[in-house]
Structure formats: structure tokens, C-alpha cells
Amino acid sequence: MTELVPGGNVPLPGGILTLRVPGPFDVSALITDDSGQVRGDGDFVFYNQPTASGARLQGEQLTIDPLGLRAGADRVTVVISSADPATPLARLPAPTLYVTGPGSRALARFTPSRPQRETVLLLAEIYRRGGAWKLRALGQGYADGLAGIARDFGVDITEDTSAPVEAARRGSTAAHSNGRAGQVNSVPGTDGFLGLVNSARARAGSPPVSLDARLAAAARVHASGMAARRVLSSESPDGTSVYQHVTSTGYAYLTVGEHLVSGPRTPGEFVEYCLSSEQSRRTLCDPAFSQAGLAYVADRSGDLYWTALWARPFSPGELARTASEVLALTNAERTATGLRPLSVDPLLTNAAQAHSDDMVARAFYSHTSPDGTQPWDRAAAAGSARRTIGENIACGQRSPAEVVLGWMNSPGHRANILKPAFTHIGTGLAGGGRMGTYWTQLFGA
């Protein structure tokens, strides 16, 4: 791993990059071309707009797929600010950027000098030189905050407190609730929510969902936390994710989705907002979901904070069906290149499932378990005598198609899927943890 200083750079490998800034910071990204200017609002990735082509923000973690960026983009600038607008950067620990590549390989680390008067810090940039991508450490601050960002990058910053906002924002210290804050209202199907949702799903060709009390309870807890802090976030201040709120109710799932929204005043307005954008509509109408839960909470000023949860409950049969879909998609990629399909190995399956379960239970994401065991150790512990072992892992993907596509877009994972020597495979999937879903493929020969 390379320790960077301001102005230092390091070449990047192909594949998806993960950038993480732990601590009480909000992470943002600006996507630009040769002009150094954003092309439009869609080039600014931040807590209220967490995705763009080739970029995805989840809490303190930003993933960048350079090959997936919009046409003409040749630079991504990583920006941080205080997660609590009332706390200046000078009162926070010096931020540290950790950069990893495919296979969780540590690539670089950068800790700039502690900011003084600055309220926003340009931490680093990923940029293209010829056909290669590099990372450069920056450490440039702005005392005038987002206004400075707007001036230099062409971002149009507006405030519209009446508009609904959907986000996946990291938790932060904010105003405490009083007055109406904490007045929780779970939304039953009798006041129209379920009918509106299932009508939209029917138009999309998806089966109806039913309400589940455990999902509604988890939604209540999460919405209460957002209203108390008056911030949209996928995590509570203690780091508990919305998905962990779900599993803490005893609800086990195979796949999960969420809407975190503020602004709508009625269930009808909430559903209308969820249908107003392609990504949000895709979640509401996803045919994989069969159950839902909804809650809203008023903050001290009367603004409503909504949490909707969508899930398919766990069952052994559904897990086997999901693993079969992953296998079919994986074998389709192999046969397309003239390779023989893989066969299911029950021992590898047991080891893969155990690793996914372990990543959720012990809150880690790595090929190396906290006790130091590696994929081949886990395969052997499950009773496998195969001499060659490979492993793919992934987290956060909601479907077999999404996870296999992600692996195929990553050179290291793709190499495992298309390795001619491999003959057998096991697949594991567990729901929960900070990222919601944890996938494992274990290959053997």
C-alpha cells in the first residue's frame, strides 16, 4: 500500500475501486471532463444523490468504476465535509482516505493536514492519463464551503426545503427532538398505502406485496432516528444500519430494499414520490419483493421522515433458488466463452454459505476471516479435498443478476468465473449487516 502526500499519485489497477473515509464526515464526488466542470446536476454524487453512472455512495464508502463513468468523464474528485454542519472540520480528527481495489487489495492511504478554517476539503482525485487511471492526493480546502465548490466546478446549488428528498446519508449529531418529534405513526394498509403500491406494481407486471409487522417495526425505529436528528441516513449514530434494524426484529430475508424520504405529507404523496424517478420506482416495483413495512415520524418542526422497507423473507427453498440463479448466470458466462459449466459441490456450498453468514454475524467484509482463515481453509474445514480453491465475495447487490454482473465487471472476479481449471462451485448468501446482503462464490478443482 502506498502512503501518499499532497500532490503524490499512484497508478490504479483495472476494476472497481473503493474509497472510504471513516469518521464523522460526509463524502461527496464530482465527475468532470477536460473542462474541469460538471456537465449537470447528475455529476455531483452526495448524500441526497448517492448514485451516478460508475459511482455509488453508501455511508462513508464510495465505489468508483472508471469504465462505467458517463461518456467523456476523465476525472472524479473526492470531497469531504463535516457530517454535522454545526461542527467545523478543525474540531474533527484529521480525515484519512483508504483506497482499495478488486479483491479488497489495499492500494493507497492519504491523511492530509488537519483543516483549519476550511469547511470543505478536496481530498483526492481519480483521473485518466492516456488509457490508464491514477489517484492523486490533494488536500485542498475551501473556507467558503459548497459555494467554493460551485464556483470552481460549476455545480448549481439550490435549497428547496419544501421538496421531498431521498438519500442514504451517514448518521451525524444533529438537533434533538421535542414538540412533535417522536410522534410515530406506522401506516396501515387501510389508509391507502398498500393499495397504491400494489396498483403500481400491477402496472409494472409485478406481484403484490403484503404488510409485515416486523418490517413496520424496523421502519419505525429507523424513521424515529432520522426525525430526531433531522437527517436522512441509512445508519443510526451508533453505526447500526437500516438492515440491522430489520434483522434485530427477527425478520430474516434474502433480499431487501428501502426508501428513506422526507417531505411528503400523506401515503399518497409518498408513493407518488417513490414513482417519480427510475431508480426509486424500480425498488417499489421490484418483483423480487413480497412484503413491505412503512412508518413516518414528525420532527420538531413538523416535517415528516419516512422509511419504507421491502423484502423477500428467507426460506431454504428460496435460498436454493437464488443460488441456482447465480449458478445459471455464472455458467452462461462460461459457456459463452467455450468453457464447460460448473457443477454444484455441496461441501463448497456449505463453506460459501458459512462465510456469508460469518460476514454478517461478525461485521466484516473480506476473504480473510477475523480468525485469519482463508478460502482454502474454510473449504477444507467443510470437508472438501479439492486442491485448487478460488473465491468471489460481494456485498449490497439485491439480485443474482446484479451480483454476477458486478463480478464480471471486475477483472479479478471475472478471472475466477472464467478459469478453465475450475470444475465445481458453491454459492452462499446472507441478509443483514451494514450492506444488507453478503454473497460468496467458492470455486474448486
Side-chain angles (χ1 to χ4, degrees):
M1 180 173 65
T2 301
E3 293 279 357
L4 292 173
V5 298
N9 63 71
V10 61
L12 296 171
I16 296 176
L17 306 166
T18 300
L19 296 87
R20 187 170 62 90
V21 185
F25 305 104
D26 275 338
V27 180
S28 308
L30 295 141
I31 301 169
T32 58
D33 49 28
D34 288 337
S35 69
Q37 301 284 296
V38 299
R39 223 179 242 187
D41 292 344
D43 282 349
F44 189 20
V45 178
F46 67 120
Y47 52 80
N48 275 355
Q49 185 170 268
T51 59
S53 295
R56 183 179 184 185
L57 176 65
Q58 288 189 304
E60 64 186 26
Q61 181 170 291
L62 175 70
T63 54
I64 301 292
D65 178 7
L67 297 182
L69 296 172
R70 64 158 174 82
D74 61 8
R75 190 177 306 269
V76 179
T77 304
V78 181
V79 181
I80 64 159
S81 56
S82 172
D84 179 4
T87 303
L89 288 175
R91 291 173 53 189
L92 299 178
T96 297
L97 172 69
Y98 297 89
V99 184
T100 57
S104 300
R105 175 191 168 199
L107 301 176
R109 180 168 59 191
F110 173 53
T111 302
S113 300
R114 184 192 300 272
Q116 299 301 316
R117 296 176 52 250
E118 297 87 351
T119 57
V120 174
L121 191 66
L122 303 187
L123 201 54
E125 61 182 3
I126 296 168
Y127 64 100
R128 178 165 48 196
R129 280 292 178 270
W133 288 84
K134 294 185 176 183
L135 172 78
R136 177 185 292 121
L138 297 176
Q140 174 189 349
Y142 285 79
D144 48 354
L146 289 179
I149 294 288
R151 179 186 63 243
D152 286 1
F153 287 87
V155 178
D156 181 18
I157 298 177
T158 61
E159 293 187 5
D160 182 359
T161 57
S162 66
V165 182
E166 182 172 13
R169 184 176 180 178
R170 173 177 168 80
S172 61
T173 304
H176 294 284
S177 61
N178 56 32
R180 293 180 60 188
Q183 300 299 314
V184 183
N185 299 274
S186 62
V187 182
T190 53
D191 59 4
F193 168 71
L194 194 61
L196 292 168
V197 165
N198 283 334
S199 177
R201 289 175 64 86
R203 292 193 298 272
S206 299
V209 294
S210 60
L211 293 175
D212 183 270
R214 293 164 298 177
L215 291 176
R220 267 197 301 277
V221 171
H222 195 75
S224 296
M226 293 194 301
R229 292 175 289 125
R230 303 182 71 187
V231 68
L232 291 170
S233 173
S234 63
E235 291 187 357
S236 300
D238 62 359
T240 303
S241 74
V242 64
Y243 318 115
Q244 290 167 315
H245 286 313
V246 173
T247 54
S248 69
T249 68
Y251 188 101
Y253 61 81
L254 279 176
T255 188
V256 67
E258 75 282 346
H259 286 100
L260 310 177
V261 180
S262 67
R265 303 301 303 176
T266 67
E269 289 182 6
F270 173 80
V271 173
E272 182 180 3
Y273 175 71
C274 291
L275 295 172
S276 65
S277 68
E278 180 180 354
Q279 181 177 351
S280 181
R281 181 172 60 252
R282 188 182 305 122
T283 297
L284 188 146
C285 295
D286 193 327
F289 299 136
S290 60
Q291 294 181 328
L294 180 72
Y296 64 87
V297 179
D299 71 6
R300 63 181 182 176
S301 66
D303 292 333
L304 299 184
Y305 286 76
W306 300 74
T307 297
L309 295 169
W310 316 87
R312 175 176 289 275
F314 172 87
S315 72
E318 287 292 333
L319 178 61
R321 181 187 61 80
T322 301
S324 293
E325 289 184 23
V326 172
L327 175 64
L329 291 167
T330 299
N331 279 336
E333 298 292 349
R334 287 178 64 89
T335 56
T337 61
L339 296 174
R340 296 182 61 181
L342 302 170
S343 299
V344 174
D345 182 319
L347 298 178
L348 294 180
T349 297
N350 291 341
Q353 185 60 49
H355 189 54
S356 288
D357 291 337
D358 193 30
M359 287 191 288
V360 170
R362 292 201 277 179
F364 74 97
Y365 175 65
S366 175
H367 294 287
T368 303
S369 300
D371 56 10
T373 56
Q374 301 288 342
W376 42 90
D377 299 319
R378 295 189 288 271
S384 175
R386 299 193 181 278
R387 294 189 295 180
T388 303
I389 296 293
E391 183 178 77
N392 286 345
I393 59 175
C395 62
Q397 293 82 2
R398 301 297 189 243
S399 68
E402 185 179 356
V403 73
V404 173
L405 177 62
W407 281 327
M408 288 300 294
N409 287 336
S410 167
H413 298 90
R414 178 188 178 95
N416 274 339
I417 289 175
L418 300 181
K419 186 170 182 175
F422 286 143
T423 57
H424 289 76
I425 189 174
T427 302
L429 166 63
R434 292 185 61 193
M435 300 299 292
T437 52
Y438 290 76
W439 305 76
T440 302
Q441 281 184 318
L442 200 57
F443 304 87

